[in-house]
Amino acid sequence: MAYVLIGFMGAGKSTVARELAEALGTAHLDSDSRLQERLGHSLAREFELSGEPAFRAKEEELVCELLSAAGPEQVLALGGGSVLSERVRGELAGHRTVLLDVEAEMAWERVRAEPGGQERPLARDRAAF
């Protein structure tokens, strides 16, 4: 049973996953990083090339693979939109799922301040965010 961190973009999932894994003396995985590796280009580029529905299908496939293979005490940080998938939500059963909550303004500040923050396709427009 893995620890799975979910939440809106900018909630701190990747940071908390690293810190929790270190405290537990175990490994952590970040689904966004893994997906980027698999695609061979940035997630923003995938949005541009394929559109959001195709991106979500690829994300769903990878996240379900990670959840199925997750070992005990492993820590996973999921992409913010991955839990929109019913299949992903079903795969969360049996894992310790932790929702990291964040105020919208704090999330916006974090996302815009991080390197590549402008590359997040769903964080380009403040009003839509």
Side-chain angles (χ1 to χ4, degrees):
M1 181 165 29
Y3 293 92
V4 183
L5 306 178
I6 63 171
F8 195 66
M9 71 176 97
K13 299 177 300 292
S14 297
T15 301
V16 172
R18 279 191 303 275
E19 292 173 358
L20 178 58
E22 185 178 322
L24 294 172
T26 190
H28 79 280
L29 294 173
D30 184 291
S31 70
D32 282 349
S33 295
R34 290 294 171 117
L35 184 56
Q36 187 165 304
E37 289 171 13
R38 179 176 283 186
L39 295 170
H41 52 257
S42 73
L43 302 184
R45 180 74 176 134
E46 186 63 23
F47 261 71
E48 292 170 11
L49 292 172
S50 304
E52 187 172 1
F55 169 83
R56 294 293 175 205
K58 292 171 186 172
E59 178 183 52
E60 176 185 80
E61 189 64 33
L62 175 95
V63 167
C64 288
E65 288 173 18
L66 293 176
L67 290 169
S68 293
E73 305 302 312
Q74 190 168 27
V75 180
L76 303 174
L78 301 189
S82 62
V83 296
L84 298 174
S85 160
E86 187 175 328
R87 183 174 166 217
V88 168
R89 290 191 308 270
E91 290 288 334
L92 290 172
H95 293 292
R96 296 176 198 102
T97 305
V98 180
L99 170 64
L100 299 182
D101 197 14
V102 64
E103 296 287 331
E105 190 57 39
M106 175 62 75
W108 178 254
E109 289 174 19
R110 288 177 178 172
V111 167
R112 302 307 288 177
E114 66 188 24
Q118 294 84 324
E119 290 189 36
R120 289 185 184 237
L122 300 177
R124 291 181 176 154
D125 177 359
R126 176 62 179 106
F129 184 81

